[in-house]
Amino acid sequence: MDPHLLRTYLTVARLASFSEAARTLGYTQSAVSQHIAALEADLGLPLLTRRPVGPTPAGERLLEHAGSLLLRLDAARADLARFAAAPRETLTLVAAPLALSPHALAALPATGVTLRTLPRDEVPAAVATGDADLGLVDGIAAPSDPLRLPDVAPYTARRVAEEPLAVVLPAGHPLAGRPGLRLADLVDARWLDAPGAAFPLDRLRAAHAGPAGHGFRPALRYEGTDARTVAALAAAGHGLALLPFSAAAGIPGAAAVPLTAPRLVHRTELLRPNGEPTGLAAELIARLGAPPPATR
């Protein structure tokens, strides 16, 4: 299966348009049509309907494989390119918003660093494909357990930090004076829907292990990436939020009550390509004081 044809198919299916795919890929529309025809001939199956443009049942099944296949190829190319790469005096770090703790920010070298925030699910791919030199990713985990990260390519993950989780609510809320809260007691509460700055509601449902799709109803939706804004919204009564304790510290009117059950922590890991880090990457890793790596 030719990866160039597969990439064209993925683009046409995503945009639902041959002409838009041609513009995006820099091809003529005729070339895009030829790519799709060649891929269909190779597989012996129709992959797209033409009017309207959309995947056939076989095309839908191919879409389940295409993204991960192309990602693995891009990761392999980036991994091999590192053998010929000259030492660099710059560093590109990608990070999920909640992974940027004060400790991580203080550890950044003074010069030569480009920092980008990405959704947490995109950080491993950025490191694997060479779009970034290092990545900081976070998530909910049992104490001392590694994060469950996508298997996009071989890379090394190091624990940077673990901290307690807190339910953030208004200081005047009836539950604000509790010594701790359980997720099971908050299933029917209204929650802030802030997937880019707090833990997504589907992950809270999974952590609660209740019936599929049950509970944790969304209230206001926030599409930014600033966790302190989420804490301020919770303080203003727009919904509860689950955040690391450090993200809720010092927010006027907010109460941060420890999550006591299930027993979970906010975990941050540093991702890097396999091999010995050099230059600014090695400097940042040393400053973060990460423990011995666990190769994935």
Side-chain angles (χ1 to χ4, degrees), residues 49-82:
T49 58
R50 270 38 178 194
R51 293 183 181 178
V53 175
T56 64
E60 290 280 8
R61 185 61 57 86
L62 180 58
L63 287 174
E64 296 175 11
H65 299 281
S68 57
L69 286 171
L70 292 172
L71 181 57
R72 293 289 297 201
L73 286 172
D74 289 342
R77 184 183 297 276
D79 201 21
L80 293 175
R82 293 184 186 103

PDB file of all heavy atoms in Angstrom, residues 49-82:
ATOM      1  N   THR A  49     -17.442   7.202  -2.121  1.00  0.00           N
ATOM      2  CA  THR A  49     -18.524   7.584  -3.019  1.00  0.00           C
ATOM      3  C   THR A  49     -18.184   8.974  -3.562  1.00  0.00           C
ATOM      4  O   THR A  49     -17.472   9.746  -2.921  1.00  0.00           O
ATOM      5  CB  THR A  49     -19.871   7.638  -2.270  1.00  0.00           C
ATOM      6  OG1 THR A  49     -19.771   8.561  -1.182  1.00  0.00           O
ATOM      7  CG2 THR A  49     -20.227   6.257  -1.724  1.00  0.00           C
ATOM      8  N   ARG A  50     -18.685   9.280  -4.759  1.00  0.00           N
ATOM      9  CA  ARG A  50     -18.289  10.536  -5.411  1.00  0.00           C
ATOM     10  C   ARG A  50     -19.299  11.651  -5.206  1.00  0.00           C
ATOM     11  O   ARG A  50     -18.907  12.813  -5.139  1.00  0.00           O
ATOM     12  CB  ARG A  50     -18.077  10.299  -6.904  1.00  0.00           C
ATOM     13  CG  ARG A  50     -16.670   9.890  -7.366  1.00  0.00           C
ATOM     14  CD  ARG A  50     -15.936   8.949  -6.465  1.00  0.00           C
ATOM     15  NE  ARG A  50     -14.618   8.569  -6.999  1.00  0.00           N
ATOM     16  CZ  ARG A  50     -13.899   7.563  -6.546  1.00  0.00           C
ATOM     17  NH1 ARG A  50     -14.350   6.828  -5.530  1.00  0.00           N
ATOM     18  NH2 ARG A  50     -12.717   7.288  -7.069  1.00  0.00           N
ATOM     19  N   ARG A  51     -20.564  11.380  -5.119  1.00  0.00           N
ATOM     20  CA  ARG A  51     -21.563  12.434  -4.982  1.00  0.00           C
ATOM     21  C   ARG A  51     -22.615  12.012  -3.963  1.00  0.00           C
ATOM     22  O   ARG A  51     -23.540  11.271  -4.319  1.00  0.00           O
ATOM     23  CB  ARG A  51     -22.213  12.742  -6.340  1.00  0.00           C
ATOM     24  CG  ARG A  51     -21.256  13.367  -7.329  1.00  0.00           C
ATOM     25  CD  ARG A  51     -21.961  13.707  -8.624  1.00  0.00           C
ATOM     26  NE  ARG A  51     -21.042  14.283  -9.593  1.00  0.00           N
ATOM     27  CZ  ARG A  51     -21.391  14.634 -10.832  1.00  0.00           C
ATOM     28  NH1 ARG A  51     -22.649  14.453 -11.240  1.00  0.00           N
ATOM     29  NH2 ARG A  51     -20.509  15.154 -11.664  1.00  0.00           N
ATOM     30  N   PRO A  52     -22.503  12.456  -2.734  1.00  0.00           N
ATOM     31  CA  PRO A  52     -21.432  13.297  -2.185  1.00  0.00           C
ATOM     32  C   PRO A  52     -20.185  12.475  -1.900  1.00  0.00           C
ATOM     33  O   PRO A  52     -20.242  11.242  -1.845  1.00  0.00           O
ATOM     34  CB  PRO A  52     -22.055  13.818  -0.890  1.00  0.00           C
ATOM     35  CG  PRO A  52     -22.968  12.698  -0.463  1.00  0.00           C
ATOM     36  CD  PRO A  52     -23.548  12.149  -1.738  1.00  0.00           C
ATOM     37  N   VAL A  53     -19.068  13.169  -1.695  1.00  0.00           N
ATOM     38  CA  VAL A  53     -17.805  12.489  -1.410  1.00  0.00           C
ATOM     39  C   VAL A  53     -17.821  12.002   0.035  1.00  0.00           C
ATOM     40  O   VAL A  53     -18.055  12.776   0.968  1.00  0.00           O
ATOM     41  CB  VAL A  53     -16.603  13.426  -1.632  1.00  0.00           C
ATOM     42  CG1 VAL A  53     -15.308  12.734  -1.222  1.00  0.00           C
ATOM     43  CG2 VAL A  53     -16.529  13.863  -3.083  1.00  0.00           C
ATOM     44  N   GLY A  54     -17.613  10.713   0.204  1.00  0.00           N
ATOM     45  CA  GLY A  54     -17.585  10.131   1.548  1.00  0.00           C
ATOM     46  C   GLY A  54     -17.094   8.703   1.485  1.00  0.00           C
ATOM     47  O   GLY A  54     -17.130   8.063   0.422  1.00  0.00           O
ATOM     48  N   PRO A  55     -16.598   8.170   2.587  1.00  0.00           N
ATOM     49  CA  PRO A  55     -16.064   6.810   2.581  1.00  0.00           C
ATOM     50  C   PRO A  55     -17.158   5.757   2.472  1.00  0.00           C
ATOM     51  O   PRO A  55     -18.241   5.902   3.031  1.00  0.00           O
ATOM     52  CB  PRO A  55     -15.336   6.714   3.935  1.00  0.00           C
ATOM     53  CG  PRO A  55     -15.983   7.743   4.796  1.00  0.00           C
ATOM     54  CD  PRO A  55     -16.421   8.845   3.882  1.00  0.00           C
ATOM     55  N   THR A  56     -16.873   4.708   1.724  1.00  0.00           N
ATOM     56  CA  THR A  56     -17.723   3.529   1.692  1.00  0.00           C
ATOM     57  C   THR A  56     -17.482   2.734   2.984  1.00  0.00           C
ATOM     58  O   THR A  56     -16.595   3.076   3.773  1.00  0.00           O
ATOM     59  CB  THR A  56     -17.357   2.659   0.489  1.00  0.00           C
ATOM     60  OG1 THR A  56     -16.001   2.188   0.672  1.00  0.00           O
ATOM     61  CG2 THR A  56     -17.455   3.441  -0.827  1.00  0.00           C
ATOM     62  N   PRO A  57     -18.243   1.652   3.225  1.00  0.00           N
ATOM     63  CA  PRO A  57     -17.937   0.825   4.403  1.00  0.00           C
ATOM     64  C   PRO A  57     -16.479   0.343   4.433  1.00  0.00           C
ATOM     65  O   PRO A  57     -15.839   0.350   5.490  1.00  0.00           O
ATOM     66  CB  PRO A  57     -18.924  -0.331   4.274  1.00  0.00           C
ATOM     67  CG  PRO A  57     -20.106   0.279   3.575  1.00  0.00           C
ATOM     68  CD  PRO A  57     -19.508   1.247   2.587  1.00  0.00           C
ATOM     69  N   ALA A  58     -15.950  -0.057   3.264  1.00  0.00           N
ATOM     70  CA  ALA A  58     -14.539  -0.462   3.218  1.00  0.00           C
ATOM     71  C   ALA A  58     -13.630   0.732   3.492  1.00  0.00           C
ATOM     72  O   ALA A  58     -12.585   0.600   4.152  1.00  0.00           O
ATOM     73  CB  ALA A  58     -14.213  -1.075   1.855  1.00  0.00           C
ATOM     74  N   GLY A  59     -14.031   1.899   2.978  1.00  0.00           N
ATOM     75  CA  GLY A  59     -13.242   3.103   3.223  1.00  0.00           C
ATOM     76  C   GLY A  59     -13.230   3.489   4.689  1.00  0.00           C
ATOM     77  O   GLY A  59     -12.206   3.945   5.224  1.00  0.00           O
ATOM     78  N   GLU A  60     -14.361   3.311   5.378  1.00  0.00           N
ATOM     79  CA  GLU A  60     -14.419   3.576   6.815  1.00  0.00           C
ATOM     80  C   GLU A  60     -13.449   2.682   7.572  1.00  0.00           C
ATOM     81  O   GLU A  60     -12.748   3.129   8.493  1.00  0.00           O
ATOM     82  CB  GLU A  60     -15.842   3.358   7.341  1.00  0.00           C
ATOM     83  CG  GLU A  60     -16.859   4.386   6.881  1.00  0.00           C
ATOM     84  CD  GLU A  60     -16.783   5.672   7.696  1.00  0.00           C
ATOM     85  OE1 GLU A  60     -15.854   5.818   8.504  1.00  0.00           O
ATOM     86  OE2 GLU A  60     -17.667   6.537   7.495  1.00  0.00           O
ATOM     87  N   ARG A  61     -13.398   1.413   7.166  1.00  0.00           N
ATOM     88  CA  ARG A  61     -12.480   0.493   7.829  1.00  0.00           C
ATOM     89  C   ARG A  61     -11.026   0.893   7.582  1.00  0.00           C
ATOM     90  O   ARG A  61     -10.190   0.827   8.482  1.00  0.00           O
ATOM     91  CB  ARG A  61     -12.734  -0.939   7.340  1.00  0.00           C
ATOM     92  CG  ARG A  61     -11.907  -2.002   8.050  1.00  0.00           C
ATOM     93  CD  ARG A  61     -12.188  -2.064   9.540  1.00  0.00           C
ATOM     94  NE  ARG A  61     -13.597  -2.294   9.809  1.00  0.00           N
ATOM     95  CZ  ARG A  61     -14.154  -3.508   9.849  1.00  0.00           C
ATOM     96  NH1 ARG A  61     -13.421  -4.588   9.627  1.00  0.00           N
ATOM     97  NH2 ARG A  61     -15.437  -3.648  10.105  1.00  0.00           N
ATOM     98  N   LEU A  62     -10.734   1.359   6.361  1.00  0.00           N
ATOM     99  CA  LEU A  62      -9.367   1.797   6.064  1.00  0.00           C
ATOM    100  C   LEU A  62      -8.995   3.014   6.903  1.00  0.00           C
ATOM    101  O   LEU A  62      -7.846   3.149   7.346  1.00  0.00           O
ATOM    102  CB  LEU A  62      -9.235   2.114   4.576  1.00  0.00           C
ATOM    103  CG  LEU A  62      -7.844   2.592   4.109  1.00  0.00           C
ATOM    104  CD1 LEU A  62      -6.770   1.551   4.426  1.00  0.00           C
ATOM    105  CD2 LEU A  62      -7.858   2.898   2.612  1.00  0.00           C
ATOM    106  N   LEU A  63      -9.970   3.899   7.143  1.00  0.00           N
ATOM    107  CA  LEU A  63      -9.687   5.079   7.964  1.00  0.00           C
ATOM    108  C   LEU A  63      -9.251   4.700   9.374  1.00  0.00           C
ATOM    109  O   LEU A  63      -8.486   5.429  10.014  1.00  0.00           O
ATOM    110  CB  LEU A  63     -10.915   5.987   8.028  1.00  0.00           C
ATOM    111  CG  LEU A  63     -11.254   6.766   6.768  1.00  0.00           C
ATOM    112  CD1 LEU A  63     -12.575   7.515   6.946  1.00  0.00           C
ATOM    113  CD2 LEU A  63     -10.140   7.740   6.408  1.00  0.00           C
ATOM    114  N   GLU A  64      -9.728   3.560   9.874  1.00  0.00           N
ATOM    115  CA  GLU A  64      -9.335   3.108  11.203  1.00  0.00           C
ATOM    116  C   GLU A  64      -7.846   2.775  11.262  1.00  0.00           C
ATOM    117  O   GLU A  64      -7.238   2.826  12.331  1.00  0.00           O
ATOM    118  CB  GLU A  64     -10.158   1.885  11.611  1.00  0.00           C
ATOM    119  CG  GLU A  64     -11.652   2.172  11.745  1.00  0.00           C
ATOM    120  CD  GLU A  64     -12.457   0.916  12.028  1.00  0.00           C
ATOM    121  OE1 GLU A  64     -11.835  -0.142  12.324  1.00  0.00           O
ATOM    122  OE2 GLU A  64     -13.694   0.960  11.941  1.00  0.00           O
ATOM    123  N   HIS A  65      -7.270   2.437  10.102  1.00  0.00           N
ATOM    124  CA  HIS A  65      -5.850   2.078  10.047  1.00  0.00           C
ATOM    125  C   HIS A  65      -4.966   3.205   9.532  1.00  0.00           C
ATOM    126  O   HIS A  65      -3.792   3.301   9.907  1.00  0.00           O
ATOM    127  CB  HIS A  65      -5.655   0.871   9.111  1.00  0.00           C
ATOM    128  CG  HIS A  65      -6.370  -0.369   9.526  1.00  0.00           C
ATOM    129  ND1 HIS A  65      -5.908  -1.207  10.520  1.00  0.00           N
ATOM    130  CD2 HIS A  65      -7.527  -0.914   9.084  1.00  0.00           C
ATOM    131  CE1 HIS A  65      -6.741  -2.224  10.671  1.00  0.00           C
ATOM    132  NE2 HIS A  65      -7.736  -2.062   9.806  1.00  0.00           N
ATOM    133  N   ALA A  66      -5.511   4.047   8.664  1.00  0.00           N
ATOM    134  CA  ALA A  66      -4.677   4.966   7.895  1.00  0.00           C
ATOM    135  C   ALA A  66      -3.894   5.935   8.757  1.00  0.00           C
ATOM    136  O   ALA A  66      -2.687   6.122   8.571  1.00  0.00           O
ATOM    137  CB  ALA A  66      -5.547   5.738   6.890  1.00  0.00           C
ATOM    138  N   GLY A  67      -4.567   6.576   9.710  1.00  0.00           N
ATOM    139  CA  GLY A  67      -3.877   7.580  10.523  1.00  0.00           C
ATOM    140  C   GLY A  67      -2.699   7.012  11.283  1.00  0.00           C
ATOM    141  O   GLY A  67      -1.605   7.575  11.280  1.00  0.00           O
ATOM    142  N   SER A  68      -2.905   5.858  11.930  1.00  0.00           N
ATOM    143  CA  SER A  68      -1.823   5.261  12.714  1.00  0.00           C
ATOM    144  C   SER A  68      -0.703   4.743  11.820  1.00  0.00           C
ATOM    145  O   SER A  68       0.477   4.824  12.173  1.00  0.00           O
ATOM    146  CB  SER A  68      -2.365   4.140  13.603  1.00  0.00           C
ATOM    147  OG  SER A  68      -3.015   3.149  12.837  1.00  0.00           O
ATOM    148  N   LEU A  69      -1.051   4.223  10.635  1.00  0.00           N
ATOM    149  CA  LEU A  69      -0.013   3.754   9.712  1.00  0.00           C
ATOM    150  C   LEU A  69       0.886   4.901   9.257  1.00  0.00           C
ATOM    151  O   LEU A  69       2.122   4.793   9.269  1.00  0.00           O
ATOM    152  CB  LEU A  69      -0.654   3.083   8.495  1.00  0.00           C
ATOM    153  CG  LEU A  69      -1.262   1.696   8.695  1.00  0.00           C
ATOM    154  CD1 LEU A  69      -2.039   1.279   7.452  1.00  0.00           C
ATOM    155  CD2 LEU A  69      -0.175   0.674   9.004  1.00  0.00           C
ATOM    156  N   LEU A  70       0.273   6.005   8.861  1.00  0.00           N
ATOM    157  CA  LEU A  70       1.056   7.151   8.398  1.00  0.00           C
ATOM    158  C   LEU A  70       1.866   7.761   9.534  1.00  0.00           C
ATOM    159  O   LEU A  70       3.007   8.196   9.335  1.00  0.00           O
ATOM    160  CB  LEU A  70       0.128   8.192   7.774  1.00  0.00           C
ATOM    161  CG  LEU A  70      -0.527   7.773   6.455  1.00  0.00           C
ATOM    162  CD1 LEU A  70      -1.577   8.798   6.034  1.00  0.00           C
ATOM    163  CD2 LEU A  70       0.516   7.601   5.356  1.00  0.00           C
ATOM    164  N   LEU A  71       1.294   7.770  10.727  1.00  0.00           N
ATOM    165  CA  LEU A  71       2.018   8.304  11.878  1.00  0.00           C
ATOM    166  C   LEU A  71       3.250   7.468  12.174  1.00  0.00           C
ATOM    167  O   LEU A  71       4.336   8.002  12.451  1.00  0.00           O
ATOM    168  CB  LEU A  71       1.092   8.352  13.093  1.00  0.00           C
ATOM    169  CG  LEU A  71       1.681   8.909  14.383  1.00  0.00           C
ATOM    170  CD1 LEU A  71       2.222  10.324  14.179  1.00  0.00           C
ATOM    171  CD2 LEU A  71       0.628   8.906  15.484  1.00  0.00           C
ATOM    172  N   ARG A  72       3.128   6.151  12.105  1.00  0.00           N
ATOM    173  CA  ARG A  72       4.282   5.285  12.357  1.00  0.00           C
ATOM    174  C   ARG A  72       5.359   5.495  11.296  1.00  0.00           C
ATOM    175  O   ARG A  72       6.555   5.501  11.608  1.00  0.00           O
ATOM    176  CB  ARG A  72       3.858   3.821  12.372  1.00  0.00           C
ATOM    177  CG  ARG A  72       2.971   3.422  13.512  1.00  0.00           C
ATOM    178  CD  ARG A  72       3.671   3.386  14.851  1.00  0.00           C
ATOM    179  NE  ARG A  72       4.739   2.411  14.937  1.00  0.00           N
ATOM    180  CZ  ARG A  72       5.212   1.915  16.078  1.00  0.00           C
ATOM    181  NH1 ARG A  72       4.683   2.295  17.221  1.00  0.00           N
ATOM    182  NH2 ARG A  72       6.200   1.069  16.095  1.00  0.00           N
ATOM    183  N   LEU A  73       4.958   5.699  10.051  1.00  0.00           N
ATOM    184  CA  LEU A  73       5.941   5.953   8.993  1.00  0.00           C
ATOM    185  C   LEU A  73       6.659   7.276   9.227  1.00  0.00           C
ATOM    186  O   LEU A  73       7.881   7.376   9.070  1.00  0.00           O
ATOM    187  CB  LEU A  73       5.246   5.956   7.631  1.00  0.00           C
ATOM    188  CG  LEU A  73       4.810   4.598   7.084  1.00  0.00           C
ATOM    189  CD1 LEU A  73       3.972   4.776   5.831  1.00  0.00           C
ATOM    190  CD2 LEU A  73       6.030   3.728   6.773  1.00  0.00           C
ATOM    191  N   ASP A  74       5.903   8.313   9.600  1.00  0.00           N
ATOM    192  CA  ASP A  74       6.521   9.613   9.891  1.00  0.00           C
ATOM    193  C   ASP A  74       7.462   9.508  11.083  1.00  0.00           C
ATOM    194  O   ASP A  74       8.534  10.126  11.100  1.00  0.00           O
ATOM    195  CB  ASP A  74       5.441  10.653  10.172  1.00  0.00           C
ATOM    196  CG  ASP A  74       4.650  11.040   8.929  1.00  0.00           C
ATOM    197  OD1 ASP A  74       5.144  10.767   7.810  1.00  0.00           O
ATOM    198  OD2 ASP A  74       3.554  11.599   9.078  1.00  0.00           O
ATOM    199  N   ALA A  75       7.066   8.722  12.086  1.00  0.00           N
ATOM    200  CA  ALA A  75       7.919   8.538  13.262  1.00  0.00           C
ATOM    201  C   ALA A  75       9.202   7.807  12.896  1.00  0.00           C
ATOM    202  O   ALA A  75      10.294   8.148  13.381  1.00  0.00           O
ATOM    203  CB  ALA A  75       7.159   7.783  14.343  1.00  0.00           C
ATOM    204  N   ALA A  76       9.114   6.799  12.036  1.00  0.00           N
ATOM    205  CA  ALA A  76      10.313   6.070  11.615  1.00  0.00           C
ATOM    206  C   ALA A  76      11.257   6.976  10.831  1.00  0.00           C
ATOM    207  O   ALA A  76      12.485   6.945  11.030  1.00  0.00           O
ATOM    208  CB  ALA A  76       9.909   4.862  10.758  1.00  0.00           C
ATOM    209  N   ARG A  77      10.700   7.810   9.966  1.00  0.00           N
ATOM    210  CA  ARG A  77      11.534   8.736   9.200  1.00  0.00           C
ATOM    211  C   ARG A  77      12.248   9.720  10.132  1.00  0.00           C
ATOM    212  O   ARG A  77      13.445   9.983   9.995  1.00  0.00           O
ATOM    213  CB  ARG A  77      10.670   9.493   8.189  1.00  0.00           C
ATOM    214  CG  ARG A  77      11.452  10.424   7.259  1.00  0.00           C
ATOM    215  CD  ARG A  77      10.501  11.170   6.341  1.00  0.00           C
ATOM    216  NE  ARG A  77       9.785  10.267   5.483  1.00  0.00           N
ATOM    217  CZ  ARG A  77      10.260   9.799   4.333  1.00  0.00           C
ATOM    218  NH1 ARG A  77      11.480  10.168   3.922  1.00  0.00           N
ATOM    219  NH2 ARG A  77       9.548   8.985   3.586  1.00  0.00           N
ATOM    220  N   ALA A  78      11.514  10.248  11.109  1.00  0.00           N
ATOM    221  CA  ALA A  78      12.114  11.193  12.050  1.00  0.00           C
ATOM    222  C   ALA A  78      13.180  10.522  12.904  1.00  0.00           C
ATOM    223  O   ALA A  78      14.233  11.108  13.187  1.00  0.00           O
ATOM    224  CB  ALA A  78      11.030  11.794  12.944  1.00  0.00           C
ATOM    225  N   ASP A  79      12.941   9.278  13.301  1.00  0.00           N
ATOM    226  CA  ASP A  79      13.894   8.550  14.140  1.00  0.00           C
ATOM    227  C   ASP A  79      15.206   8.326  13.389  1.00  0.00           C
ATOM    228  O   ASP A  79      16.303   8.515  13.938  1.00  0.00           O
ATOM    229  CB  ASP A  79      13.279   7.221  14.556  1.00  0.00           C
ATOM    230  CG  ASP A  79      13.944   6.638  15.798  1.00  0.00           C
ATOM    231  OD1 ASP A  79      14.575   7.407  16.552  1.00  0.00           O
ATOM    232  OD2 ASP A  79      13.841   5.425  16.007  1.00  0.00           O
ATOM    233  N   LEU A  80      15.118   7.949  12.126  1.00  0.00           N
ATOM    234  CA  LEU A  80      16.326   7.720  11.333  1.00  0.00           C
ATOM    235  C   LEU A  80      17.039   9.026  11.008  1.00  0.00           C
ATOM    236  O   LEU A  80      18.271   9.074  10.952  1.00  0.00           O
ATOM    237  CB  LEU A  80      15.961   6.973  10.047  1.00  0.00           C
ATOM    238  CG  LEU A  80      15.453   5.540  10.239  1.00  0.00           C
ATOM    239  CD1 LEU A  80      15.008   4.952   8.915  1.00  0.00           C
ATOM    240  CD2 LEU A  80      16.532   4.665  10.872  1.00  0.00           C
ATOM    241  N   ALA A  81      16.265  10.096  10.814  1.00  0.00           N
ATOM    242  CA  ALA A  81      16.883  11.390  10.498  1.00  0.00           C
ATOM    243  C   ALA A  81      17.757  11.885  11.635  1.00  0.00           C
ATOM    244  O   ALA A  81      18.717  12.637  11.412  1.00  0.00           O
ATOM    245  CB  ALA A  81      15.801  12.418  10.175  1.00  0.00           C
ATOM    246  N   ARG A  82      17.467  11.460  12.861  1.00  0.00           N
ATOM    247  CA  ARG A  82      18.266  11.915  14.007  1.00  0.00           C
ATOM    248  C   ARG A  82      19.694  11.405  13.956  1.00  0.00           C
ATOM    249  O   ARG A  82      20.592  11.988  14.543  1.00  0.00           O
ATOM    250  CB  ARG A  82      17.584  11.488  15.313  1.00  0.00           C
ATOM    251  CG  ARG A  82      16.251  12.183  15.555  1.00  0.00           C
ATOM    252  CD  ARG A  82      15.650  11.817  16.900  1.00  0.00           C
ATOM    253  NE  ARG A  82      14.308  12.396  17.034  1.00  0.00           N
ATOM    254  CZ  ARG A  82      13.183  11.704  16.900  1.00  0.00           C
ATOM    255  NH1 ARG A  82      13.228  10.414  16.655  1.00  0.00           N
ATOM    256  NH2 ARG A  82      12.019  12.321  17.024  1.00  0.00           N
TER     257      ARG A  82
END
